[in-house]
């Protein structure tokens, strides 16, 4: 067998503060830094160069001037928002040649982790001896609030107490948040999203998935809202960049903000995902994406408006297809069942507290299952319509207006909320597309959700007014009517309503009527079940994890991802995707050019890039064979949220940016598969070459520390 598979696969998203426990192993695998170099609350460490970017991604600081790099798909929303049809940075790319040319990205923020502190004892103690679950939660929330308030230091920091291991551990995280973040550089979408949805979640890959921003601070280096007077932030630490590249079996670690995993999910949960939840999400998104695509293709302005939501919806559309496929292929239900039987046998023999736990899981799932679809269709289908989403926001106002005791100022406040919601929805509102979306989502909900669970508006209004043997027509007619007659979409009528809001006006509005019929049905009949199910599951999994820890004393456990900073370490290396097939661990620019398809939406390339490639001048960015490496893979344990995370060598230098996972391990958030799970990384030398030779932004290269 080749050396390829002697590499260790490394499962585990470890807590930075506790990384000392893994240190010996990391050192054996090639780490040259000390544990304190990775995380320290007292002096600067690698963690000071890593940020939570825009709430859902990771970024890292790579210069003494607050220069930040993350994925292209993480900067995507901001890049699209700053683009116009005339100045289309999403299509054409953007390179600031000086600080002055950098463009503020409103609404974008980054946060640095200042410190972490284990507060498990305080939290669990607060919840002890409570007469009820409700009182327990209240007592714990109170302590949580106190801890956070104290750590905030009067607004200097943002602190949060977060649960790990489903309530078996609590950690206080203290952050510093910066709100003046500016766009610095991005390749055109053709490169930054090369391969589009076809290549998404797949290896081999050739995507230049990076974009650059800069963090700005006030003159004292403190966070401040956007101001022209702000200056580039001076970080406590930044990552030096390696131009040496990677070899098979090299040590590689990733620091970042993985969002969610469900590694302690039971066979019951996997069954529900495979058979109810995932296929529903995929079906609904398929339809929504089809509608969006149609309108995006027709008009570049619409294309820009919808680009970011489209990418977001498509990313997890494909994710759920892959997850279902791999959960089945890897027989994850069988494996989970074996673990559960093993657990129950152990409980019966040694700890009877847990002997009924799996039966309790089974009962909870059986009870909830008939309603699972309703909840998916409510959020994904009903709420998939922009008008429905906006109309649903009138719910609170409707309640306030129905109550004679409501004070005028409460109504005023809610009207302000509605105004805000409308502004948000209208920002990306494409009327023709949205009218079709309303028709098709209303229709699909009716067809797919069990009839006994439907809101009464279908019979009471839609079928009564527009009933027809052709359902497409029925729902088109309804959507047409709703768009013509609602006050929500008309600026003047909306302002009239706001200046004199009344129950009569709300009750006469077809969009409001439609939405509130869904909302009320959901809130009365389905939301309580969903919440109850969530609580039951949470308490069961808290016990399950506690039990597993007792069963496996001495074993190192890592908690599920929860959008807090983690470290994962492993090695560079390829894999066997299927019998007789081997995937190498890196791709090159030649492979990128092989995929080129002129005029294609996903595989077209700009002429100036093709011209540059012809020169084959890779300079110091080439590997020992003279190739320009584009992407490589490692066996690090990452998930969504890690996007943009630095992949770091044993000396603490940046090797590339993690940007995706591979198809064969799409079940990884539920069950880590050592054989298949890989992290896809864009090689930093490809990134540097693009910045330098394609973008001509030597100013940015000059800021970095290249080793
Ligand atoms: N699958 C990647 C992730 O979730 C996002 C890739 C974005 N690219 C794309 N073609 N949609 O981290």
């Amino acid at each position: 067998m080749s050396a390829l598979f002697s590499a260790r696969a490394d499962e585990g998203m470890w807590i930075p503060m506790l990384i000392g426990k893994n240190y010996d192993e990391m050192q054996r695998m090639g780490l040259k830094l000390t544990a304190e170099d990775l995380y320290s609350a007292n002096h600067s460490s690698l963690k000071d160069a890593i940020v939570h970017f825009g709430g859902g991604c990771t970024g890292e600081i790579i210069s003494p001037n607050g220069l930040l790099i993350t994925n292209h798909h993480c900067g995507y929303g901001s890049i699209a928002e700053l683009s116009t049809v005339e100045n289309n940075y999403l299509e054409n790319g953007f390179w600031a040649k000086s600080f002055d040319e950098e463009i503020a990205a409103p609404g974008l923020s980054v946060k640095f982790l200042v410190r972490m502190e284990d507060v498990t004892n305080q939290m669990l103690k607060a919840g002890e001896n409570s007469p009820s679950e409700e009182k327990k939660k209240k007592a714990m929330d109170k302590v949580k609030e106190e801890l956070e308030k104290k750590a905030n230091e009067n607004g200097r920091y943002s602190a949060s107490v977060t649960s790990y291991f489903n309530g078996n551990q609590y950690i206080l995280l203290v952050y510093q948040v910066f709100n003046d973040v500016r766009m610095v550089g991005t390749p055109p979408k053709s490169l930054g999203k090369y391969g589009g949805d076809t290549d998404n979640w797949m290896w081999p890959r050739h995507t230049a998935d990076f974009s650059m921003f800069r963090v700005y601070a006030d003159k004292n280096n403190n966070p401040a809202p956007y101001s022209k007077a702000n200056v580039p932030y001076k970080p406590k630490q930044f990552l030096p960049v390696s131009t040496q590249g990677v070899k098979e079996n090299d040590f590689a670690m990733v620091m970042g903000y993985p969002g969610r995993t469900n590694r302690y999910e039971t066979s019951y949960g996997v069954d529900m995902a495979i058979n109810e939840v995932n296929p529903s999400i995929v079906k609904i998104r398929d339809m929504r994406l089809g509608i969006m695509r149609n309108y995006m293709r027709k008009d570049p302005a619409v294309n820009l408006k919808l680009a970011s939501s489209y990418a977001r919806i498509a990313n997890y559309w494909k994710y759920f297809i892959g997850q279902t496929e791999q959960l089945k292929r890897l027989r994850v239900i069988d494996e989970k069942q074996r673990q559960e039987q093993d657990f129950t046998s152990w409980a019966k023999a040694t700890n009877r507290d847990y002997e009924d736990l799996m039966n309790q899981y089974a009962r909870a799932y059986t009870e909830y299952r008939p309603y699972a679809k309703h909840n998916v269709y409510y959020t994904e289908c009903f709420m998939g319509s922009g008008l429905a989403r906006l109309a649903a926001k009138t719910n609170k106002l409707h309640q306030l207006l129905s109550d004679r005791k409501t004070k005028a100022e409460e109504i005023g406040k809610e009207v302000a909320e509605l105004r805000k919601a409308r502004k948000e929805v209208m920002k990306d509102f494409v009327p023709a597309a949205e009218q079709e979306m309303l028709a098709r989502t209303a229709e699909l909900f009716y067809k797919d959700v069990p009839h006994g669970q439907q809101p009464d508006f279908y019979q009471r209004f839609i079928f009564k007014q527009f009933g027809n043997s052709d359902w497409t027509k029925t729902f088109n007619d309804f959507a047409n009517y709703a768009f013509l007659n609602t006050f929500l979409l008309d600026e003047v009528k909306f302002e009239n309503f706001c200046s004199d809001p009344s129950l009569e006006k709300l009750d006469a509005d077809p969009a409001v009527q439609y939405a509130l019929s869904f909302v009320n049905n959901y809130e009365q009949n389905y939301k309580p079940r969903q919440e109850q199910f969530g609580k039951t599951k949470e308490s069961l999994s808290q016990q399950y994890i506690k039990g597993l820890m007792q069963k496996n004393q001495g074993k190192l456990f890592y908690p599920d991802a929860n959008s807090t900073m983690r470290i994962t370490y492993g090695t560079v290396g390829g894999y066997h995707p299927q019998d007789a097939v081997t995937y190498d661990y890196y791709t090159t620019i030649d492979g990128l050019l092989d995929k080129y398809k002129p005029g294609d939406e996903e595989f077209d390339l700009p002429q100036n890039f093709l011209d540059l490639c012809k020169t084959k001048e890779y300079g110091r960015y080439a590997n020992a064979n003279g190739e320009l490496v584009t992407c490589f893979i490692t066996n690090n344990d990452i998930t969504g949220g890690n996007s943009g995370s630095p992949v770091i060598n044993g000396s603490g230098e940046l090797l590339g940016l993690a940007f995706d996972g591979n198809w064969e391990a799409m079940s990884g958030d539920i069950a880590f598969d050592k054989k298949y799970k890989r992290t896809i990384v864009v090689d930093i030398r490809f990134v540097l070459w693009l910045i330098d030779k394609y973008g001509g932004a030597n100013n940015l290269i000059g800021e970095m520390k290249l080793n």
Side-chain angles (χ1 to χ4, degrees), residues 401 497 501-509:
L401 290 167
F497 171 81
S502 77
L503 210 51
E504 292 69 43
K505 287 180 198 162
L506 284 179
D507 284 340
D509 191 281

Side-chain angles (χ1 to χ4, degrees), residues 73 193 196-197 200-201 315 643 659-660:
H73 76 264
K193 205 187 171 189
D197 291 326
N200 192 15
W201 301 111
N315 189 29
S643 283
F659 72 95
D660 211 353

Side-chain angles (χ1 to χ4, degrees), residues 41-230:
N42 303 316
H43 54 79
S44 73
S45 54
L46 274 194
K47 74 122 169 66
D48 296 317
I50 319 293
V51 300
H52 201 187
F53 180 88
C57 276
T58 304
E60 52 275 7
I61 305 294
I62 52 169
S63 95
N65 304 314
L67 181 62
L68 179 157
I69 190 162
T70 183
N71 285 152
H72 183 264
H73 76 264
C74 296
Y76 203 81
S78 294
I79 300 166
E81 208 176 310
L82 296 175
S83 296
T84 58
V85 175
E86 295 74 38
N87 276 321
N88 202 331
Y89 308 127
L90 193 66
E91 282 309 314
N92 307 320
F94 172 78
W95 308 98
K97 301 290 163 63
S98 67
F99 293 158
D100 284 347
E101 289 178 16
E102 298 173 356
I103 306 176
L108 180 60
S109 71
V110 302
K111 62 183 196 185
F112 290 84
L113 176 63
V114 180
R115 66 184 177 90
M116 332 178 56
E117 182 185 333
D118 194 313
V119 293
T120 309
N121 289 342
Q122 290 101 301
M123 288 293 287
L124 293 186
K125 201 152 164 236
E128 258 174 27
N129 308 323
S130 287
S132 69
E133 277 300 311
E134 210 177 304
K135 290 232 163 78
K136 177 172 161 183
K137 185 170 181 302
K138 257 207 175 131
M140 290 176 78
D141 281 349
K142 188 161 164 262
V143 169
K144 174 172 146 77
E145 229 168 81
E146 285 165 9
L147 287 165
E148 289 172 351
K149 187 157 179 252
K150 188 159 164 244
N152 277 342
E153 298 186 16
N154 296 319
R156 178 158 178 223
Y157 297 124
S158 153
S160 85
V161 171
T162 303
S163 149
Y164 292 68
F165 294 111
N166 289 64
N168 285 295
Q169 186 174 16
Y170 288 90
I171 295 180
L172 169 71
L173 299 131
V174 182
Y175 298 103
Q176 197 172 28
V177 184
F178 288 80
N179 291 307
D180 185 351
V181 181
R182 305 187 193 173
M183 180 169 77
V184 171
T186 174
K189 185 175 107 185
S190 50
L191 290 163
K193 205 187 171 189
Y194 189 59
D197 291 326
T198 301
D199 269 12
N200 192 15
W201 301 111
M202 300 274 197
W203 179 257
R205 198 63 162 278
H206 301 85
T207 311
D209 201 340
F210 78 97
S211 60
M212 301 169 94
F213 291 81
R214 192 184 305 279
V215 183
Y216 278 77
D218 68 14
K219 60 182 190 312
N220 301 317
N221 210 33
N222 286 320
Y226 171 82
S227 156
K228 231 178 138 42
N230 286 348

Side-chain angles (χ1 to χ4, degrees), residues 51 83 91 95 106 112 117 125 127 136 149 164 185 274-275 371 374 382 439 500 542 553 560 583 622 639 657 673:
V51 300
S83 296
E91 282 309 314
W95 308 98
F112 290 84
E117 182 185 333
K125 201 152 164 236
K136 177 172 161 183
K149 187 157 179 252
Y164 292 68
I274 289 178
N275 293 304
Y371 312 103
H374 192 114
F382 162 65
D500 180 23
Q542 179 176 12
Q553 275 176 35
D560 265 321
Y583 279 165
T639 188
L657 274 61
D673 192 288

Side-chain angles (χ1 to χ4, degrees), residues 387 461 466 477-490 493 505 508-511:
L387 179 57
F461 191 79
F466 309 106
D477 289 349
F478 161 65
N480 186 38
Y481 179 84
F483 267 67
L484 277 176
N485 290 289
T486 182
F487 67 78
L488 288 166
L489 297 177
D490 184 299
K493 286 189 201 156
K505 287 180 198 162
D509 191 281

Side-chain angles (χ1 to χ4, degrees), residues 255-266:
M255 291 175 83
Y257 282 87
R260 285 268 165 268
T261 53
N262 285 303
R263 298 271 166 83
Y264 299 97
E265 184 68 282
T266 58

